[in-house]
């Protein structure tokens, strides 16, 4: 075990690590400036468990109805050896899949296997490489439930794309099955972006795999295929989307994650986020201690955190207590660039505080706004 | 967002109480709006779970769709309720005399107004409209025509909601946000319960902030929809849905009915708090005085409504799934025009809006220091043109160039051209020439000349707008082209059982 792993292990305490997946990687890019999240995720800490222990709302809790719906849709697509998928991909990719071969990597690992992920990964690897080198006469055109590996901050992270499609002319495509609808050709842009960012993680992982065998990155297409319910039905439709932007963004962000050791160096000794479960598995860690431990890592709270981070309500309270301008939204934060707290901004506005050199312009603008507002109160003309 | 709203947001956060923004209501409020709350089922694109609606605060009507199986009966009832409301707006009409561009015609004296909690509900209704308006009409089933019609109206209303200044379908949180600024973020403002707690806290609450905090208590908090929260899904809906599916499989009619009744009760309690908040918000907004332009915009709303009724009576084919190029361009142009017009009218009517513009550099204000009422120009024909001049001294930054045309709230039809901008210790002197609205030398309109010392605010004049030339409606059959090619099987309705 590397010393980095050991240090992260101390932070996590006794709980088993929660590995990164495509979803958490996508969420990371939603707020790349947050050290707190980077560190907790790198250490595989269960942020939802932290929020629950702190007695806070859990914004990312999943609805069983949503999960069931998603699973039913995916099953429907991959049923009968992927039969419903073939015509869709043929259309979306212009595949000439006259003789489609489909393989479900899931079926290779037996249930009692200790490391089905590892096994599935090995199978995926050999299938992909043989297809890429055209070693076999029977290139796998559709690979269901493959497992890929991506290096994230020096760690191997297992990723599970839905399907990988291999085109005859030698290019791989990532196919994601998502249960949000595409209505008249248009998906919800926020959901589509999240799906494409996840797909970007798969593209990068696939490229990493091929690079290990000396194959160029353009063997994996930037274009990913989303399979969604069409309009108001459960009938699937496949739409190609360019994930170029998301791929670039994600890989840039992953590069930045290498700063992990620096983040760790900044922590006070003995910092841990261990919930210290008792014999009944209930956390025994005093809440105040946990809050103090969280306070040692710098957050970057925005109201949008609630869409992608379990700790949103904790960080919000903290931001409120500190009177942070960012708690009022990105517009206020950007308007007041350089002033972190509401109290400072108001003191500058009201002349109780002298602006530093960098604050002169914004202070002048604030005082001007204040004067105009005061006029409005006295003379509502 | 302007720096002024940012400042007020900080004041609200600091004091714990919402701050007043505009004190004039720019959107018409009907005496009898149709209040409508919608919940959708988690998962499918636009499957309704429940709708609560009505015009009487004390008697909401709740319509619930079964967890699985056909939603047609529920949608049929909904269609009847909405259609009855819309029909009632067509009871009376007025005569409009012919104008230079239009023949004489009749216009309904009322138009529908639907109030929903938030922008997400508008989106849900848009999806529902997209789904329903392409449903096939089946003569065997009298509901089907009404349901298709409902789809049409939902599309009309949600289209109107995209138009700035329209009051046909208004999300309450946005409406409140025009008049109050809370101490939470705009994202959090999309939640009706907390926003209203900031604005109008219950009497026992120490502050708006405290009230908002209490409103968030998971034990009592109910989101306003259309999405239900995961905890509610998992703890309440899943067991009932399972029971319903089980009873259905076993064909236990009674058990099914009982489960549905239980679902009714559950959803009634779930939605009631939001229903009450909607009426609380309505009362607050109703108490605000209307801005000058509000009534005129409502006239336009009635015109649009009358046109739509005529269209339905004469043609009635559903709008296409997606606008084709010309229709999309027309729509975009109309939206831009509406946005500019609404902004200009608000600036003319509302001192708060002008104050905001002064902080964004789109307006400046100050006292008139000198007036030159006799100033004339030689026009191109050599004739003297009367162009009175005045100078305004303003403390505002004036990031504008000479030649810029301005409007002023005191005389909305007058136009002022900047001649010169001169910084003078602290303040800025702006010399203006009146270029429109002052009449001619022979027939001058002296009213437009301000008194020295008068405090005036000048805003950037809206561009003179002409709707770009587009092919006429009857030459663009695709603007009402009916169902798209992929119309069949656009909906699961009628496909029957989808249970695993
Ligand atoms: S909620 Fe907190 S930890 Fe999570 S991303 Fe936001 S600031 Fe970072």
């Amino acid at each position: 075990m590397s010393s980095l792993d050991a240090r992260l292990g101390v932070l996590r305490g006794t709980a088993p690590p929660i590995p990164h997946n495509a979803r958490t990687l996508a969420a990371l890019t939603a707020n790349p400036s947050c050290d707190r999240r980077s560190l907790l995720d790198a250490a595989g800490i269960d942020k939802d468990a932290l929020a629950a222990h702190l007695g806070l709302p859990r914004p990312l809790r999943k609805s069983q109805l949503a999960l069931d719906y998603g699973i039913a849709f995916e099953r429907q697509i991959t049923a009968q050896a992927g039969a419903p998928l073939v015509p869709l991909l043929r259309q979306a990719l212009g595949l000439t899949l006259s003789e489609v071969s489909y393989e479900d990597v899931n079926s290779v690992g037996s249930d009692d296997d200790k490391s089905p992920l590892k096994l599935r990964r090995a199978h995926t690897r050999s299938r992909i490489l043989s297809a890429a080198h055209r070693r076999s006469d029977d290139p796998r055109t559709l690979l269901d439930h493959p497992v890929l590996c991506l290096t994230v901050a020096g760690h191997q992270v297992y990723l599970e794309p839905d399907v990988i499609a291999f085109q005859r002319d030698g290019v791989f495509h990532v196919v994601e099955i998502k249960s949000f609808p595409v209505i008249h050709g248009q998906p919800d842009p926020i959901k589509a972006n999240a799906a494409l960012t996840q797909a970007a993680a798969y593209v990068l992982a696939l490229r990493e795999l091929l690079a290990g065998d000396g194959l160029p990155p353009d063997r994996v297409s930037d274009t990913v295929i989303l399979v969604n319910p069409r309009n108001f039905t459960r009938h699937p439709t496949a739409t190609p989307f360019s994930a170029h932007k998301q791929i670039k963004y994600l890989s840039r962000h992953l590069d930045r994650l290498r700063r992990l050791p620096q983040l760790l160096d900044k922590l006070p000794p003995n910092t841990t986020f261990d919930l210290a479960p008792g014999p009944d598995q209930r956390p025994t860690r005093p809440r105040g201690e946990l809050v103090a431990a969280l306070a040692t890592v710098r957050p970057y709270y925005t109201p949008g955190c609630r869409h992608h981070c379990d700790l949103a309500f904790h960080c919000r309270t903290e931001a409120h207590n500190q009177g942070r301008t960012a708690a009022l939204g990105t517009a206020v934060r950007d308007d007041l660039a350089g002033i972190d707290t509401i109290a400072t901004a108001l003191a500058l506005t009201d002349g109780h505080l002298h602006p530093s050199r960098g604050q002169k312009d914004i202070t002048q603008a604030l005082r001007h706004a204040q004067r105009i507002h005061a006029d409005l109160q006295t003379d509502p003309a | 967002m302007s720096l002024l709203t940012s400042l007020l947001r900080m004041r609200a956060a600091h004091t714990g109480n919402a701050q007043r923004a505009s004190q004039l209501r720019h959107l018409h409020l009907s005496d009898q709006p149709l209040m409508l709350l919608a919940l959708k089922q988690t998962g499918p694109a636009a499957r309704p779970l429940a709708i609560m609606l009505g015009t009487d605060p004390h008697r909401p009507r709740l319509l619930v769709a079964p967890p699985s199986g056909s939603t047609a009966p529920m949608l049929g009832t909904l269609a009847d309720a909405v259609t009855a409301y819309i029909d009632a707006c067509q009871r009376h009409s007025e005569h409009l005399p012919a104008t230079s561009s239009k023949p004489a015609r009749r216009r309904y004296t009322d138009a529908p107004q639907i109030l929903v909690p938030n922008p997400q509900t508008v989106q849900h209704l848009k999806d529902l409209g997209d789904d329903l308006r392409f449903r096939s009409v089946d003569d065997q089933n009298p509901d089907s025509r009404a349901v298709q019609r409902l789809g049409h109206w939902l599309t009309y209303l949600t289209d109107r909601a995209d138009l700035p200044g329209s009051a046909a379908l208004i999300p309450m949180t946005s409406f409140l946000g025009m008049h109050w600024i809370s101490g939470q973020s705009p994202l959090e403002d999309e939640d009706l319960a907390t926003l209203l707690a900031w604005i109008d806290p219950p009497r026992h609450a120490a502050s708006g902030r405290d009230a908002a905090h209490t409103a968030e208590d998971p034990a009592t908090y109910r989101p306003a929809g259309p999405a239900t929260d995961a905890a509610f899904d998992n703890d309440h809906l899943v067991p009932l849905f399972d029971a319903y599916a089980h009873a259905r499989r076993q064909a236990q009619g009674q058990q099914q009915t009982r489960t549905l009744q239980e679902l009714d009760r559950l959803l009634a309690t779930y939605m009631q708090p939001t229903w009450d908040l909607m009426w609380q918000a309505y009362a607050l907004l109703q108490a605000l005085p209307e801005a000058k332009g509000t009534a005129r915009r409502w006239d336009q709303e009635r015109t649009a409504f009358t046109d739509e009724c005529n269209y339905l009576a004469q043609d009635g084919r559903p709008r296409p799934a997606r606008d084709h190029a010309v229709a999309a361009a027309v729509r975009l142009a109309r939206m831009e025009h509406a946005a500019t017009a609404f902004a200009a009218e608000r600036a003319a009517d509302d001192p708060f809006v002008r104050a905001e513009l002064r902080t964004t550099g789109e307006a400046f204000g100050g006292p008139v220091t000198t007036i030159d009422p006799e100033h004339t120009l030689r026009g191109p024909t050599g004739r003297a043109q009367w162009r009175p001049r005045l100078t305004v001294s303003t403390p505002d930054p004036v990031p504008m160039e000479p030649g810029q045309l301005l409007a002023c709230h005191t005389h909305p039809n007058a136009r002022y051209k900047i001649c010169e901008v001169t910084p003078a210790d602290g303040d800025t002197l702006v010399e203006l020439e009146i270029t429109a609205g002052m009449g001619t030398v022979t027939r001058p309109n002296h009213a437009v000349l301000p008194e020295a010392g008068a405090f005036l605010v000048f805003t950037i004049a809206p561009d003179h707008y002409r709707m770009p030339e587009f092919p006429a409606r009857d030459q663009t059959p695709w603007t009402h082209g009916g169902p798209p090619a992929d119309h069949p099987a656009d909906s699961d309705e009628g496909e029957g059982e989808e249970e695993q």
Side-chain angles (χ1 to χ4, degrees):
Chain A
M1 200 190 274
S2 75
S3 78
L4 185 63
D5 281 342
R7 290 167 80 185
L8 292 173
V10 171
L11 292 182
R12 191 177 62 246
T14 43
I18 301 213
H20 258 304
N21 56 41
R23 191 183 294 277
T24 62
L25 289 177
L28 265 183
T29 65
N31 190 359
S33 309
C34 180
D35 289 349
R36 181 174 291 169
R37 179 177 184 131
S38 297
L39 192 69
L40 291 173
D41 280 356
I45 290 168
D46 184 348
K47 298 192 297 303
D48 181 51
L50 300 189
H53 180 52
L54 294 174
L56 295 170
R58 294 152 63 189
L60 302 189
R61 210 179 146 188
K62 274 280 176 200
S63 159
Q64 194 55 47
L65 295 174
L67 294 174
D68 290 350
Y69 185 78
I71 290 169
F73 183 67
E74 188 180 333
R75 283 222 186 101
Q76 177 194 335
I77 310 301
T78 52
Q80 309 144 28
L85 200 52
V86 175
L88 290 172
L89 293 181
R90 191 176 284 151
Q91 194 199 11
L93 284 174
L95 288 190
T96 47
L97 297 172
S98 44
E99 66 294 37
V100 173
S101 127
Y102 164 94
E103 186 170 1
D104 187 348
V105 186
N106 228 358
S107 54
V108 298
S110 63
D111 280 348
D112 48 24
D113 197 307
K114 281 242 178 54
S115 56
L117 272 180
K118 267 199 182 128
L119 189 63
R120 276 163 61 199
R121 181 195 171 213
H123 279 274
T124 305
R125 195 184 132 82
S126 71
R127 300 293 187 282
I128 297 268
L129 290 179
S130 86
H133 292 294
R134 303 184 196 208
R135 279 193 206 115
S136 107
D137 298 337
D138 169 33
R140 303 291 187 265
T141 37
L142 288 182
L143 213 53
D144 195 1
H145 296 111
V147 172
L148 300 169
C149 249
L150 182 65
T151 315
V152 176
H155 284 256
Q156 296 279 294
V157 171
Y158 289 109
L159 298 176
E160 303 179 71
D162 287 335
V163 173
I164 293 171
F166 183 57
Q167 221 168 343
R168 265 323 205 8
D169 56 13
V171 178
F172 291 93
H173 283 91
V174 168
V175 180
E176 271 297 282
I177 302 171
K178 292 286 172 198
S179 63
F180 59 84
V182 168
I183 296 177
H184 304 321
Q186 247 127 39
D188 177 304
I190 294 174
K191 289 179 178 155
N193 183 50
L196 292 182
T197 311
Q198 286 183 36
Y202 304 139
V203 171
L204 291 177
L206 206 47
R207 285 183 179 161
E208 199 172 289
L209 194 165
L210 294 181
D213 225 43
L215 291 165
D218 60 7
R219 293 293 296 274
V220 185
S221 175
D222 273 2
T223 300
V224 305
I225 313 294
L226 296 188
V227 179
N228 306 70
R230 180 167 60 87
N231 295 351
F232 307 98
T233 68
R234 292 194 189 196
H235 302 296
T237 180
T239 327
F241 286 96
S242 167
H244 182 75
K245 203 180 68 188
Q246 287 81 359
I247 294 168
K248 238 173 74 184
Y249 194 64
L250 181 64
S251 67
R252 198 173 55 207
H253 186 65
L254 291 177
D255 283 346
R256 273 213 239 151
L257 280 184
R258 306 245 160 82
R259 328 165 277 160
L260 215 49
Q262 298 164 20
L263 285 184
L264 283 167
D265 288 344
K266 278 198 260 171
L267 292 181
N270 306 324
T271 302
T272 175
F273 304 100
D274 193 357
L275 290 178
D280 58 354
Q281 290 310 309
R282 290 234 233 184
T284 63
R285 183 88 188 273
R287 287 180 183 168
E289 262 184 53
L290 182 59
V291 169
L294 285 168
T296 59
V297 205
R298 212 167 48 90
Y300 191 78
Y301 175 77
T302 71
C305 281
R306 64 170 65 193
H307 295 314
H308 58 75
C309 187
D310 306 282
L311 284 177
F313 284 85
H314 170 73
C315 298
R316 187 182 71 161
T317 309
E318 190 185 58
H320 279 172
N321 291 345
Q322 297 171 352
R324 301 239 157 231
T325 50
L328 298 182
T330 40
V332 174
R333 187 190 65 198
D334 296 349
D335 270 354
L336 297 172
I339 305 177
D340 289 339
T341 70
I342 296 170
T344 309
L346 291 180
L348 286 168
T349 309
D350 298 336
H352 302 319
L353 203 68
H354 221 66
S356 68
R357 189 176 309 174
Q359 296 170 333
K360 281 228 168 74
D361 286 353
I362 178 67
T363 303
Q364 204 178 8
L366 279 169
R367 288 179 184 172
H368 175 240
Q370 171 61 32
R371 258 196 318 273
I372 288 176
H373 188 245
D375 286 352
L376 204 56
Q377 305 302 305
T378 52
D379 165 33
Chain B
M1 285 285 274
S2 64
L3 190 61
L4 180 56
T5 53
S6 289
L7 177 59
L8 291 178
R9 221 172 252 289
M10 291 193 293
R11 292 262 184 238
H14 191 69
T15 58
N17 289 305
Q19 305 287 303
R20 296 299 297 264
S22 165
Q23 314 230 5
L24 292 172
R25 182 154 46 70
H26 294 275
L27 298 179
H28 172 87
L29 254 193
S30 167
D31 292 339
Q32 275 223 320
L34 181 67
M35 223 46 108
L36 190 149
L37 315 180
L39 293 181
K40 71 181 280 290
Q41 197 180 97
T42 305
R47 186 182 169 102
L49 172 63
I51 301 251
M52 186 177 263
L53 79 173
T55 52
D56 181 346
H58 304 294
R59 293 186 22 226
R61 190 154 170 214
L62 178 68
L63 311 174
V64 175
S68 55
S70 173
T71 53
M74 182 261 197
L75 289 169
T77 319
L78 176 65
D80 290 343
V82 173
T83 311
Y85 176 73
I86 289 176
D87 285 349
C89 300
Q90 302 175 35
R91 264 200 296 257
H92 305 289
S93 62
E94 61 193 4
H95 175 77
L96 294 185
T99 64
S100 58
S101 58
K102 280 182 188 137
R105 63 220 151 96
R106 298 202 70 78
R107 176 167 72 184
Y108 293 120
T109 52
D110 207 354
Q113 178 173 63
I114 301 191
L115 301 178
V116 297
N118 47 32
Q120 291 81 356
T121 305
V122 174
Q123 182 58 45
H124 173 61
L125 295 181
K126 189 181 280 239
D127 289 346
L128 198 59
D130 273 347
D131 182 2
L132 301 187
R133 77 182 192 278
F134 297 126
R135 295 257 176 114
S136 50
V137 172
D138 153 16
D139 292 331
Q140 302 297 304
N141 180 357
D143 274 350
S144 61
R145 178 167 296 280
V147 166
Q148 195 200 53
R149 200 36 61 110
L150 171 67
H152 185 99
W153 279 119
L154 290 178
T155 302
Y156 166 76
L157 291 162
T158 49
D159 264 4
R160 293 291 304 171
D162 286 343
L163 222 54
S166 163
L169 170 65
I170 315 176
M172 199 57 102
T173 51
S174 321
F175 205 166
L176 290 169
M178 296 168 84
H179 301 287
W180 286 273
I181 295 172
S182 76
Q184 61 184 4
S185 65
L187 190 78
E188 290 158 300
D189 278 352
E190 283 179 14
D191 176 58
L192 181 64
T194 48
L195 177 60
L196 206 51
W198 270 99
I199 294 171
D200 188 22
R203 206 162 301 152
H204 57 264
S207 66
R209 184 188 16 240
D210 280 8
H213 191 73
T214 313
E216 271 186 349
D217 180 353
T220 47
Y221 173 76
R222 298 286 170 264
T228 47
D229 56 322
F232 181 70
D233 279 5
N234 296 349
D235 302 344
H236 298 282
L237 289 181
V238 167
L240 277 183
F241 281 20
D242 286 349
Y244 184 79
H246 181 78
R248 229 173 144 220
R249 269 197 303 274
Q250 313 280 317
Q252 297 163 335
Q254 258 186 357
Q255 186 56 39
Q256 248 172 282
T257 318
R258 224 172 302 140
T259 314
L260 284 183
Q261 284 165 348
E262 218 172 304
L263 187 63
D264 262 22
R265 273 197 299 277
L266 176 70
L267 293 171
T269 355
Y270 187 79
M271 296 172 95
Q272 185 69 42
T274 307
W275 178 262
D276 295 335
L277 293 177
M278 287 293 280
W279 289 100
Q280 185 189 345
Y282 173 75
L284 286 176
L285 290 163
Q286 215 188 17
L288 298 175
E290 270 191 8
K292 254 197 243 124
T294 305
R296 214 184 37 70
R297 280 188 293 274
W298 183 245
D299 291 347
Q300 289 171 357
E301 195 68 66
R302 291 190 292 118
T303 305
F305 171 63
T306 309
D307 288 350
E308 193 68 12
C309 292
N310 292 340
Y311 167 73
L312 273 179
Q314 286 155 16
D315 181 322
R317 275 175 298 164
R319 305 226 179 271
R322 234 187 313 161
D323 287 340
H324 286 261
V326 173
V330 170
R331 194 178 137 72
L332 205 66
R334 273 177 49 214
M335 269 168 60
E336 274 172 23
H337 176 51
T340 328
F342 189 42
E345 288 167 12
R346 282 167 58 226
D349 287 351
D350 191 336
F352 183 83
V353 175
R354 290 196 292 274
E356 260 196 297
L357 293 173
R358 286 175 67 193
T359 69
T360 57
E362 291 159 276
F364 61 87
V368 176
T369 53
T370 56
I371 306 177
D372 178 1
E374 310 299 338
H375 186 259
T376 50
L377 280 182
R378 275 272 150 236
T381 58
R383 228 172 356 131
Q385 287 176 336
W386 187 42
R387 291 282 183 275
R389 288 197 167 191
L390 56 132
T391 305
V392 174
S393 165
T394 176
D396 305 339
V398 185
M400 299 177 197
E401 299 289 322
Q404 173 71 51
L405 271 191
L406 304 172
C408 182
H409 52 110
T410 51
H411 294 90
N413 291 326
R415 288 292 175 270
Y416 308 78
K417 193 175 80 182
I418 298 185
C419 300
E420 215 179 319
V421 181
T422 330
D425 50 34
D427 288 352
T428 304
L429 295 178
V430 187
E431 193 182 11
L432 299 168
E433 183 174 287
I434 308 186
T435 60
M438 68 296 180
T440 59
V441 183
T442 45
R443 300 181 63 196
N445 170 21
H446 285 291
V448 86
L449 294 177
E451 306 257 325
F455 187 95
L456 298 180
V457 176
F458 293 88
T459 50
I460 292 179
D463 282 338
H464 182 67
Y465 183 83
R466 277 201 46 217
M467 187 77 173
E469 293 270 335
F470 293 114
R473 202 184 224 197
D474 52 357
Q475 278 155 23
T476 53
W478 51 79
T479 53
H480 290 89
D486 64 351
H487 165 54
D490 241 10
S491 167
D492 278 339
E493 198 58 54
E495 276 184 21
E497 315 312 293
E498 292 265 354
E499 279 168 66
Q500 294 83 38

